Every structure is written in C-alpha cells, then in structure tokens.
C-alpha cells in the first residue's frame, strides 16, 4: 500500500469516532438554524428549497401540481385506445400547472416528434464507448454531448444574456432535450442488447409509444412506458437527481450540463440504481432456491442475511416518505390489473416481500421508514415484458425524471434563483459548539 493511502487510513480511523460521537451524543445541538445531525446527516428536513412543480407529503406521497397520482392520470388527455395519458400533456402540466386540452397536448406531441432524432455526433459519442459501459454512463454522456446545441449557451456566449428573458432559452433547451431522451435511451438499448440493430421511428406515435416501438416492444408496453415516465418524473426538489440538476443549473450552466449531472446522481444505488438492485436481489434469491416459491421463513432469513451483511434492503425506506410510496402502489395496481402479470411468479414474490420486509426492517430498528418505495416494484414489470437487462432500468427512470428536473430548472431560471452556496464548518467547530473537549 502507498504511504499516502496508509497515512490516510490512519487519519480516517482516528477521525471517525469524532463524527460518530457528534451525531450520537450531540446531534440536537444547534448550529444557527440547523442541528449537528442535520449538518452531518445529509441536510434532512431543512426547508431551504422552493418548488411548485410537486410536493411530497411524508404520509400521503407525491402530488404533481397539487394532484395525486390517480388524479393526474384521470385528468390528463389520454392517448386514443389507451388508459394512460400522453407524457407530452404531463410535461405541459408540470411546466404550467394547468391540465392541457387535447389540442394543447397534441401541439407538444407534434413539436417533440419533429425534433426527436438524435444528432449524428451524439451517436458517434455513444458508439465510441466500450459496449460493456454501464447504460447510465452512456445516457449521461449522450446528454452531455448534446450540450453542443444548447440555445442558452450559444446566446450567453454571444452576449445575449438577459435575466428576465433567459428562461426562454432554458425552456428551449429543456423542451429539445425532452423530445430526444426517449430516442437516446432506445438507441443505447438496441446498441447494447439487441445486436446493434435499430428500428425506424413510427411518425404516428407519441413519446411513450415511440419509446416502446423503438426498443422493439409490444403494444401493451406502450402504456408501461407512459406510466413509468410519468410516475418517475418528480419527487419535489431535495432528492439527489433533482437537487443536483438544480444545483448545477444555479451556476447558470445550461440544461444539458445540469441534467447530465442529475443523471450521475440518479445512477447511485441509494437512489435510482435501487430498481436494478431490487431485481438483482430478487433474482439471486430465487436462483438460490432453485426457482421454487420461498416460504415466509426463507424470505425472512434472506432479508436478515442482507441486513446482517451490512447491506440495505433495496427498494425499501425513504428519506421523506413514512408510508408505502403511492408510486409503488400505482405500479402494483397495474400488475394486479394486467392479466398474466397478476399471476407472474416474480410479482408474487415481490408481493410477498412487501408482506415480510416491513416487519423485518421494523425489528431491525434502523430505517425510519420500513415501507417500499418506487423501486421495489418497477423492475418486475420490465422483466415481465422481456426488458430483462436490469442495468437498463435506471435509464428508464432517467428518461422520466427529466420531466421534473427540467420543468424545475426552467422555473428556477425564470425566477432568477440564486447560485446555491451553503456554508460549511469544520469538525472542530462542531465540537466547540457541542462543548466537546
Ligand atoms: N435497508 C436497511 N437499512 C436501511 C434501509 C433499508 N432499506 N433504509 C434505511 N436504512 C438504514 C440507513 O442505512 C441508516 O443506517 P445508518 O444509521 O447505519 O446509516 C438508518 O436506516 C436510518 O436511515 P433513514 O433515516 O431511515 O433513511 P435515509 O434517509 O438515511 O436514507 C434511503 C433513505 C432511501 C437512502 C434508504 O432508505 C435506503 O438506503 N434504502 C434502500 C435503497 C433504496 O431503495 N433507494 C431508493 C430510494 C428511492 C429513490 O430515490 O429512487
């Protein structure tokens, strides 16, 4: 081991008890308006972000522009022949707070169709990456590559920045990006998992339907895509992907820099990658049992084994929610109401985990919320439809999450939100505030 790493290890070992003691014994000590445990522990509960796009109540779950998930699905114009709304109409709702008419929705549908194609240089960037690169890396790189075409960056460089009107360039970038993200995700999917064969776009299709078509999916999956993108869109602005996007945009970085950064945050296992982890955990567990249906005891044991090995139960717990995530419930209802999926063994197992895991987590006593989040349910639907490359699931999350993040940064710029710059303190300052020798 290098001297540098050896010395660093020693310093870290010496420092850790100081941090642990501060949180355990002096967590409630105030540092101005926040406590030591909030300063060390990820800023939980500090009210210092403002957004009107969505609001997350710990017990009720998410509301998009004031509407619950069922209310949102019911209110928006539906794709003809489908039970699910246009993603484009949802974009209109997030941006404006108004439920669009069918005419207003179709205007967005047509605008997105006209600019959905990927520029060749973006395809070149993707193709230059080793094929076994994680799809989230490709997705983030593809978004970043598109920065070349940022309207905001071009106008800024040309000296055309105006604080009151610059939101318009931000909006153009966000709208242009939204139009392309489904195509980008589908291109990565076909290049990596379908022998690099690609499918021509169908000019008749909306964004959700087109994505299903481009990855080579069946008719039914078009609704899965629409539902999935809407459900994953926004969860107010403190989660890692939304907050990162907001933070980067606060430096007047354009939408591409900002959302590519947000995607990198979404790729973490404690955030969006949890949907991949859930499927991996569940499949490994089934494989260990040789595919047979587990007993409740076997399932409990597997959950305890995971916890005792120091890992988290993926898909369970939440920083804000204190009940079952309505995004979980919505997907669960989709499963229950879809013939074939309702009896699907993997769904049966996911249902069983839902019955057992909250009890185990409660007994374990650490997680503040023992209930499932959005990621506990989403992979099973993808798997059922044959999207079994679970490393791709977070890209699906990322296409949807863009709706919320990009609506937010459009408004951030319109309202001239300041560059984000919280203040840091040293461990010694915390110890002084706590009166620790
Ligand atoms: N399994 C085991 N332990 C868990 C847990 C879980 N599912 N959820 C929380 N805990 C633990 C935490 O790791 C923490 O332990 P330490 O004190 O040792 O650090 C303790 O319980 C308290 O954590 P918390 O206050 O309840 O939760 P946090 O706000 O710190 O973290 C989250 C929230 C989501 C990161 C956490 O619940 C977790 O790791 N869940 C599993 C991963 C997951 O599903 N992530 C997806 C969330 C949704 C999304 O963003 O996509």
């Amino acid at each position: 081991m290098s001297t540098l790493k050896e010395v660093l290890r020693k310093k870290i070992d010496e420092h850790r008890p100081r941090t642990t003691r501060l949180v355990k014994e002096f967590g409630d000590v105030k540092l101005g308006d926040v406590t030591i445990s909030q300063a060390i522990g990820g800023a939980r509960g500090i009210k210092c972000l403002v957004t009107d796009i969505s609001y997350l109540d710990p017990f009720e779950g998410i509301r998009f522009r004031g509407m619950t998930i069922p209310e949102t699905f019911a209110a928006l114009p539906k794709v003809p022949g489908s039970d699910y709304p246009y993603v484009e109409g949802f974009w209109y709702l997030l941006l404006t707070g108004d439920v669009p008419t069918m005419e207003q929705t179709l205007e967005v549908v047509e605008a997105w169709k006209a600019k959905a194609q990927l520029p060749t240089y973006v395809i070149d960037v993707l193709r230059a990456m080793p094929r076994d690169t994680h799809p989230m890396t490709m997705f983030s790189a593809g978004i970043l590559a598109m920065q070349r075409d940022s309207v905001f960056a071009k106008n800024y460089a040309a000296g055309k920045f105006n604080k009151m009107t610059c939101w318009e360039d931000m909006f153009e970038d966000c709208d242009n990006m939204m139009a392309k993200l489904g195509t980008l995700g589908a291109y990565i999917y076909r290049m990596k998992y379908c022998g690099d064969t690609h499918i021509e776009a169908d000019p008749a299709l909306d964004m959700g339907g087109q994505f299903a078509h481009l990855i080579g999916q069946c008719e039914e999956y078009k609704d899965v895509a629409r539902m999935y993108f809407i459900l994953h869109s926004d969860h107010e602005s403190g989660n890692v992907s939304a907050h990162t996007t907001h933070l980067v945009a606060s430096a007047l970085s354009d939408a591409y820099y900002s959302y590519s950064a947000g995607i990198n945050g979404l790729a973490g296992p404690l955030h969006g990658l949890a949907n991949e982890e859930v499927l991996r955990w569940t499949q490994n567990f089934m494989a260990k049992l040789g595919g047979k249906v587990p007993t409740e005891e076997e399932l409990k044991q597997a959950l305890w084994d995971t916890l005792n090995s120091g890992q988290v139960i993926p898909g369970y717990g939440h920083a804000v929610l204190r009940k079952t995530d309505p995004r979980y419930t919505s997907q669960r209802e989709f499963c229950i109401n879809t013939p074939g999926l309702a009896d699907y063994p993997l769904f049966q197992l996911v249902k069983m985990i839902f019955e057992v895991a909250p009890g185990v987590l409660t007994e374990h006593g650490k997680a503040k919320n023992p209930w499932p989040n959005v990621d506990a349910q989403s992979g099973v639907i993808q798997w059922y439809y044959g999207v079994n490359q679970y490393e791709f699931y977070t890209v699906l999350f990322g296409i949807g999450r863009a709706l919320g993040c990009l609506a937010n940064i459009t408004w951030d710029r319109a309202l001239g939100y300041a560059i984000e710059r919280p203040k840091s303190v040293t461990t010694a300052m915390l110890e002084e505030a706590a009166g620790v020798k």
Side-chain angles (χ1 to χ4, degrees), residues 41 44 232 235 239-241 266 268-275 277-278 306-307 310-322 325 327 361 364-376 397 401:
R44 286 298 176 286
H232 287 80
H235 224 215
N239 64 79
V240 170
S241 49
L266 191 69
L270 294 186
H271 190 18
L273 204 80
N275 57 13
E277 296 291 313
V278 168
T306 300
L307 291 171
Q311 294 167 60
V312 295
I313 308 286
Y316 281 75
H318 201 272
V320 177
L321 276 169
R322 293 295 175 259
D325 190 336
R327 301 171 301 171
L361 279 168
H364 185 241
K366 268 192 168 185
K368 293 192 188 68
N369 176 37
W371 301 106
N373 60 58
V374 66
D375 296 317
F397 195 153
R401 181 49 55 102

Side-chain angles (χ1 to χ4, degrees), residues 50-228:
V50 185
T51 176
D52 299 297
I53 309 286
S54 70
Y55 182 74
L56 179 60
D57 180 88
F59 296 97
E60 186 197 51
I62 193 69
R63 277 182 184 261
F64 302 120
R65 288 292 188 174
M67 288 191 281
T68 62
I69 291 169
E71 285 166 1
T72 305
F73 282 144
L76 289 168
K78 309 275 179 305
V79 179
S82 158
D83 292 335
Y84 283 87
Y86 285 97
V87 174
E88 292 87 339
F90 183 67
W91 172 237
Y92 189 110
L93 169 72
L94 286 189
L95 277 169
T96 62
D98 296 339
V99 174
T101 61
M102 183 59 101
E103 201 184 346
Q104 288 164 332
T105 302
L106 291 179
E107 197 183 304
V108 183
V109 171
E110 291 311 314
W112 283 11
K113 270 185 207 172
K115 48 191 184 183
Q117 226 182 332
L118 290 182
T120 317
Y121 69 84
V122 174
I123 293 178
D124 291 343
V125 168
L126 299 175
R127 301 194 71 79
M129 300 175 97
R131 278 306 136 77
D132 60 357
T133 303
H134 195 283
M136 280 298 271
T137 313
M138 291 185 166
F139 192 57
S140 173
I143 292 168
L144 192 58
M146 288 188 217
Q147 194 278 336
R148 173 183 178 270
D149 288 330
S150 166
V151 177
F152 178 86
K154 276 202 180 88
N155 282 339
Y156 191 90
K160 293 186 194 155
F161 177 74
N162 174 316
K163 219 174 167 189
M164 295 311 286
T165 55
C166 66
W167 70 267
E168 295 183 35
D169 292 347
M170 179 59 113
F171 167 74
E172 293 301 332
D173 282 345
C174 291
D175 198 61
N176 292 344
M177 195 193 317
M178 259 336 303
K180 290 182 173 58
L181 289 183
T183 325
L184 174 62
Y187 191 90
I188 294 168
Y189 185 82
R190 300 285 316 177
M191 182 176 75
K192 270 182 78 74
Y193 311 118
C194 304
D196 203 9
T197 57
H198 299 271
I199 297 171
E200 278 292 304
D202 177 345
L205 289 171
D206 60 294
M207 186 263 193
Q210 191 73 271
F211 176 78
H213 168 76
L214 288 177
I215 65 167
Q217 267 293 339
C218 62
E219 193 57 33
E220 251 179 38
Y221 188 91
K222 290 180 176 140
D223 272 349
V224 173
R226 291 171 190 129
M227 169 185 74
Y228 204 94

Side-chain angles (χ1 to χ4, degrees), residues 324-339:
T324 297
D325 190 336
R327 301 171 301 171
Y328 173 91
T329 311
S330 195
Q331 294 180 87
R332 181 182 153 93
E333 278 163 13
F334 180 90
C335 293
I336 290 168
N337 296 327
T338 304

